[in-house]
Amino acid sequence: MAHEQNKAFLRRVPLLASINELQLDQLAAASVRKNYPRGRTIVAEGEPSQSLYILLSGRAKVQRSDSEGKEVILAVITAGEFFGEMSLIDDAPRSASVITLESCDFMAITKDVFKDMLFQSPEMCWFIMRGMVRRLRDADKKIETLALLDVYGRVARVLLDFSETIDGEIVVKSRLPRQEIAKMIGASREMVSRVMKGLEIDGYIVPMPEGKLVLREKISSYLS
Ligand code: CMP
């Protein structure tokens, strides 16, 4: 039963679109499905790696922290994405922690099984490479944001990155706590609160029920 369920979940994962039925069977037998509530660490920065992970539902943050406990959020992983591949590839310790932002379902695939699959499937290697290139592009954009934009621009950048267009409106659907925005842009929570208030008063953002936000197009002017 668990095996068939694992297979059904894995079949929907874009990373695994190219594998055949036999490989899917092997993978389903070698993977474990888990659910963590909000705030749990799936991968801990600096630890040795055992597994690759695929997020089936929910969102998780990729975070690094210094010796004083100051934290920076590098990225947010969403459903369908994989993580934990870096240290499996270079055998170095985990480059960052991955922590659930809400209840998350995920699959853990052991290192050996994942490596075997990569060696068997050029399509899977290609998919992983594309994923890593996309992350590098995002990281480049982040460096640019931090180096060139003021704090209004940085907040605008995060809001636009998390937005989608629904019925012609630019909407941030999930609640984005000020503390999380602060950790993405290297500012204090108080500063982010001040900036958000300013954006609201000047009509760049419109708060909606349940933490949603509507962004007005003119918010893009902060990016130049
Ligand atoms: P690994 O180093 O094994 O463990 C932490 C994981 O976080 C890492 O693999 C990647 O999957 C992910 N990760 C690290 N840095 C980034 C980033 N800048 N953007 C997205 N994901 C990242």
Side-chain angles (χ1 to χ4, degrees), residues 71-215:
E71 295 162 351
V72 56
I73 296 178
L74 304 173
V76 172
I77 310 261
T78 54
E81 288 187 84
F82 60 85
F83 58 94
E85 78 294 350
M86 287 171 58
S87 52
L88 293 195
I89 291 171
D90 69 2
D91 286 322
R94 294 290 192 193
S95 61
S97 296
V98 180
I99 300 167
T100 56
L101 283 170
E102 52 199 55
S103 169
C104 284
D105 278 311
F106 59 94
M107 300 285 270
I109 301 170
T110 57
K111 187 174 183 164
D112 293 343
V113 171
F114 172 63
K115 276 192 175 170
D116 280 352
M117 303 223 64
L118 275 191
F119 286 121
Q120 284 171 37
S121 168
E123 289 87 358
M124 224 168 118
C125 291
W126 187 248
F127 195 96
I128 294 273
M129 280 163 63
R130 285 181 70 96
M132 291 173 74
V133 166
R134 186 172 47 75
R135 285 177 185 170
L136 182 57
R137 285 182 187 276
D138 288 347
D140 287 352
K141 200 163 80 180
K142 190 156 192 153
I143 293 168
E144 182 195 22
T145 299
L146 293 176
L148 302 182
L149 296 183
D150 64 13
V151 70
Y152 273 81
R154 294 180 197 181
V155 171
R157 171 89 276 157
V158 170
L159 295 179
L160 282 164
D161 281 349
F162 280 86
S163 71
E164 51 196 288
T165 302
I166 301 172
D167 297 333
E169 280 194 320
I170 313 168
V171 182
V172 180
K173 276 202 314 193
S174 332
R175 185 184 295 279
L176 263 182
R178 306 230 179 323
Q179 182 70 63
E180 304 291 337
I181 298 176
K183 286 184 196 170
M184 289 182 219
I185 62 169
S188 66
R189 192 181 57 76
E190 293 72 21
M191 173 60 89
V192 171
S193 292
R194 271 203 297 280
V195 169
M196 296 282 283
K197 198 77 219 156
L199 291 173
E200 188 184 328
I201 289 167
D202 293 339
Y204 289 86
I205 61 176
V206 183
M208 306 296 277
E210 294 167 11
K212 285 187 200 161
L213 277 180
V214 172
L215 312 185

